[in-house]
Amino acid sequence: MVTISCSCGAAANSRTHPLRGVPIEERMDLVRTAYSAYDGFLTLEVDASWHPGSSEPEADCVVLVDMDALDACEGLSDEERHGLSALLGIAHVRGRVLPPPVEIGSVRFRVSPAFGFDGEVVYVVHDGPQTLLEVTCPYGGRGELAALVELYSEHGPAAVVQVDGLAPRLGLSAAIAGIARARTPSVA
């Protein structure tokens, strides 16, 4: 079962999906160029013929199909399934590869695709059950997650919480840089 959703708000579930019956080479290309892949789930942007609404799609409708690895690998041999599942394990948004999660003790840093239709990502930092940071923004590259990890390593969880408060106004990179500067002792 796959979920078909549209930026206009229409949504539906279906047993048919755009990868059914497609050869492995084409599936691999579709996964590489997919809207997003994360943790074994795939989101493909499809044409308006997949629109889930009862009415005709608008010109600005963006139709997405969400499926898990089982649906994406349906009908493949074991070897092909293994290859496609491995490709689905590489997290990306609109072709940009996301860094793997980082763990320091009980603190976990990760980047995942956002749920909107705009290619944004969500940066999340958890310390056990506590969320220190959750920011949705455009993907700024692998350096942003590394900068968050470095900020935490040098200045602790309070600095990450400060970034959480400033990032919606300043942007994630500027918030990290500002907090790092503010917490670094001045040199006379």
Side-chain angles (χ1 to χ4, degrees), residues 65-148:
V65 175
D66 293 309
M67 67 183 77
D68 63 17
L70 289 175
D71 286 318
C73 296
E74 180 184 303
L76 298 177
S77 70
D78 288 342
E79 184 179 324
E80 292 170 333
R81 185 177 294 117
H82 178 72
L84 189 61
S85 292
L87 187 59
L88 282 169
I90 301 170
H92 69 269
V93 173
R94 295 208 181 236
R96 297 184 71 188
V97 176
L98 302 178
V102 174
E103 292 187 21
I104 300 174
S106 65
V107 180
R108 186 168 197 245
F109 301 78
R110 69 178 169 83
V111 183
S112 61
F115 293 108
F117 294 95
D118 50 13
E120 290 188 323
V121 296
V122 180
Y123 290 83
V124 179
V125 180
H126 286 118
D127 186 356
Q130 183 181 14
T131 302
L132 302 178
L133 175 135
E134 185 170 342
V135 176
T136 301
C137 59
Y139 181 51
R142 299 173 82 78
E144 286 184 338
L145 188 66
L148 273 172

Side-chain angles (χ1 to χ4, degrees), residues 4-184:
I4 304 169
S5 57
C6 182
S7 58
C8 70
N13 290 325
S14 173
R15 294 203 183 281
T16 61
H17 58 78
L19 297 185
R20 181 171 279 154
V22 174
I24 184 65
E25 297 81 17
E26 288 181 45
R27 288 189 198 201
M28 297 288 246
D29 285 340
L30 286 169
V31 169
R32 281 186 200 97
T33 61
Y35 179 79
S36 70
Y38 184 76
D39 201 22
F41 288 89
L42 177 67
T43 302
L44 296 171
E45 188 172 344
V46 293
D47 64 49
S49 68
W50 287 88
H51 192 268
S54 56
S55 62
E56 288 296 312
E58 301 286 324
D60 60 346
C61 280
V62 177
V63 182
L64 300 175
V65 175
D66 293 309
M67 67 183 77
D68 63 17
L70 289 175
D71 286 318
C73 296
E74 180 184 303
L76 298 177
S77 70
D78 288 342
E79 184 179 324
E80 292 170 333
R81 185 177 294 117
H82 178 72
L84 189 61
S85 292
L87 187 59
L88 282 169
I90 301 170
H92 69 269
V93 173
R94 295 208 181 236
R96 297 184 71 188
V97 176
L98 302 178
V102 174
E103 292 187 21
I104 300 174
S106 65
V107 180
R108 186 168 197 245
F109 301 78
R110 69 178 169 83
V111 183
S112 61
F115 293 108
F117 294 95
D118 50 13
E120 290 188 323
V121 296
V122 180
Y123 290 83
V124 179
V125 180
H126 286 118
D127 186 356
Q130 183 181 14
T131 302
L132 302 178
L133 175 135
E134 185 170 342
V135 176
T136 301
C137 59
Y139 181 51
R142 299 173 82 78
E144 286 184 338
L145 188 66
L148 273 172
V149 171
E150 182 179 340
L151 183 73
Y152 173 81
S153 296
E154 292 179 7
H155 303 290
V160 175
V161 172
Q162 285 182 305
V163 169
D164 184 61
L166 288 175
R169 290 189 315 256
L170 303 177
L172 185 59
S173 291
I176 293 169
I179 297 300
R181 263 192 319 275
R183 289 179 164 264
T184 303

